[in-house]
């Protein structure tokens, strides 16, 4: 499973659309809370976090306010009135600030709350209800995987089941977005689940399925910009050039591989899925290294002892191709250049320097290389 860095998370609570002034009321009802309990409302305007608070009156917390834009916000509960700065923020629920009365009803905590009252909040609840079964099944599978430690067959079966679950979850998300093209909930769901750098075709198709108003919202324009930037590493384009030092301190440039098929492989010593993939990559390398094919490893190792950990992993895994690293972890300029938000990741580049495939692993990589060389 890939280690995913969530993209553009700072946008999630920012204004989503330039529309008429929004006058909202939020009524929060939570059963069995102490009289001294407090609720807090957090939202972002112009990159600044704003916060309102409400005390329990007549068995409910009430927030009233006005915003120039519809936006996503979060209601947090402090059962004992503890200041929010001393809370872990786990007991919260997302709402959308828009015209009308927004309802939040919870049997015990906001984690189990249902929201409604306005169109966007009804969409939000529908989305939560849709994804909840996948989340529960996923947690159960992870727990089951740990319980059968040592039983390789059972673990492989659970891994296959988990992969199938994730595929079905992605399909459900895509269906929701396509069925709610005018909803800002769909845009937020797209923001958090489809990284254009990982799948630009899907990102573009789903974004284009949204209405013009949603696409032209603040977050919509930002996502559109991310799609445009991801074009730089889209299949069919020339791979961005770079020069990085290898473990010996020598400058290695991508341009020096021109005339060969080269797989630029982004990995790190700490990345378990990357290390698990290395035996497959070694097999492909040895099968095709005499047929104008090679690999260039780009490590995202960083921090204390990064170079030693990187070199130890190269030796332990038996990686005999060229290796380079800026030893800056996720701050690697080349990782940013290639829009890397998750590893393992790779790009297959042809002798002219054009990207012809990406994220090929295991049998997929072998099939692609066989189609080229055999």
């Amino acid at each position: 499973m890939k280690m995913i860095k969530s993209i553009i998370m700072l946008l999630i609570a920012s204004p989503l659309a330039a529309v008429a002034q929004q006058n909202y009321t939020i009524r929060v009802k939570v059963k069995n809370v102490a009289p001294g309990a407090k609720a807090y409302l957090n939202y972002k305007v112009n990159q600044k976090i704003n916060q309102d608070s409400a005390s329990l009156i007549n068995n409910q917390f009430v927030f009233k306010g006005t915003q120039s834009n519809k936006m996503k916000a979060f209601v947090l509960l402090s059962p004992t009135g503890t200041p929010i700065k001393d809370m872990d923020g786990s007991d919260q629920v997302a709402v959308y600030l828009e015209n009308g009365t927004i309802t939040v009803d919870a049997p015990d905590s906001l984690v189990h709350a249902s929201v409604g009252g306005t169109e966007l909040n009804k969409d939000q609840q529908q989305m939560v209800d849709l994804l909840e079964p996948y989340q529960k099944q996923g947690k159960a599978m992870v727990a089951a995987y740990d319980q059968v430690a040592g039983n390789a067959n059972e673990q492989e079966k659970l891994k296959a089941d988990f992969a199938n679950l994730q595929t079905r979850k992605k399909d459900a998300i895509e269906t929701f977005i396509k069925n709610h093209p005018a909803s800002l909930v769909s845009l937020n769901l797209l923001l958090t689940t489809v990284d254009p750098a990982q799948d630009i075709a899907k990102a573009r198709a789903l974004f284009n399925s949204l209405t013009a108003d949603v696409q032209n919202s603040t977050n919509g324009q930002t996502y559109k910009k991310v799609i445009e930037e991801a074009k730089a590493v889209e299949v069919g384009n020339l791979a961005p050039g770079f020069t990085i030092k290898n473990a010996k301190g020598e400058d290695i440039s991508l341009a020096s591989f021109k005339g060969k098929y080269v797989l630029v492989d982004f990995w790190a010593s700490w990345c378990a899925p990357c290390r698990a993939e290395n035996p497959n990559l070694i097999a492909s390398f040895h099968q095709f290294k005499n047929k104008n094919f090679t690999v260039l490893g780009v490590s995202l190792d960083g921090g204390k002892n990064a170079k030693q950990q990187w070199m130890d992993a190269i030796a332990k895994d038996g990686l005999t191709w060229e290796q380079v690293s800026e030893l800056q972890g996720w701050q690697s300029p080349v990782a940013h250049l290639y829009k890397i938000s998750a590893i393992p990741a790779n790009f297959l580049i042809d002798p002219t320097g054009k990207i012809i495939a990406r994220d090929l692993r295991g049998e997929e990589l072998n099939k692609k290389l066989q189609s080229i060389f055999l």
Side-chain angles (χ1 to χ4, degrees), residues 136-180:
K136 285 184 176 179
Q137 290 178 54
K139 287 181 180 179
M141 288 179 183
V142 170
Y145 185 90
D146 292 337
Q147 289 174 359
V148 296
N151 188 330
N153 289 336
E154 282 299 315
Q155 286 193 325
E156 285 302 313
K157 182 179 182 300
L158 284 165
K159 284 170 67 175
D161 290 344
F162 188 85
N164 180 263
L165 178 71
Q166 296 308 303
T167 298
R168 289 188 285 114
K169 180 181 176 181
K170 289 178 181 179
D171 290 342
I173 287 172
E174 290 182 34
T175 299
F176 180 94
I177 292 171
K178 291 175 181 177
N179 288 342
H180 299 79

Side-chain angles (χ1 to χ4, degrees), residues 174-344:
E174 290 182 34
T175 299
F176 180 94
I177 292 171
K178 291 175 181 177
N179 288 342
H180 299 79
S183 178
L184 298 173
V185 175
S186 292
L187 176 60
N188 257 349
L189 190 57
L190 182 57
L191 283 167
T192 55
T193 58
V194 183
D195 182 353
Q198 296 294 316
D199 193 341
I200 190 171
K202 182 173 291 185
R204 185 185 290 120
L206 290 175
F207 182 73
N208 288 341
S209 74
L210 301 174
T211 63
D213 284 346
V214 175
Q215 290 184 27
N216 291 327
S217 67
T218 302
N219 279 4
Q221 287 300 301
T222 300
Y223 193 72
K224 183 178 181 179
K225 182 179 178 181
V226 174
I227 292 175
E228 289 297 315
E229 292 175 346
K231 285 182 178 179
V233 288
E234 188 174 9
V235 172
N237 289 340
L238 288 175
F242 60 84
T243 299
I244 312 179
K245 292 186 181 300
N246 62 15
K248 298 177 182 178
E250 302 166 333
D251 284 335
I252 305 297
S253 69
L254 180 62
S256 66
F257 291 87
K258 196 166 185 179
K260 285 180 171 288
Y261 285 91
V262 57
L263 186 76
V264 179
D265 179 51
F266 288 87
W267 72 294
S269 67
W270 47 259
C271 171
C274 304
R275 304 289 295 275
E277 180 61 25
N278 278 340
N280 297 326
L281 191 51
I282 290 170
S284 295
F285 174 72
H286 285 297
Q287 183 177 355
F288 296 101
K289 66 180 182 179
N290 295 323
K291 297 181 181 292
N292 205 35
F293 169 74
T294 191
V295 179
L296 173 62
V298 182
S299 166
L300 297 193
D301 279 278
K304 188 177 181 180
N305 299 322
K307 185 172 182 179
Q308 190 61 52
Q309 291 168 353
W310 170 44
M311 294 180 68
D312 287 347
I314 293 172
K316 184 174 182 179
D317 290 4
L319 310 182
T320 58
W321 49 83
E322 187 66 83
Q323 296 282 343
V324 297
S325 180
E326 295 149 307
L327 300 176
Q328 295 182 40
W330 288 109
Q331 302 308 311
S332 158
V334 171
H336 292 173
L337 181 66
Y338 275 74
K339 314 303 176 187
I340 301 298
S341 61
I343 54 176

Side-chain angles (χ1 to χ4, degrees), residues 26 41 71-75 93-97 102 104 115 121:
I26 307 174
L41 178 68
M71 67 180 69
K72 191 174 183 180
F74 295 88
V75 177
V93 66
V95 297
Y96 282 81
L97 306 184
I102 301 152
V104 179
V115 300
N121 286 288

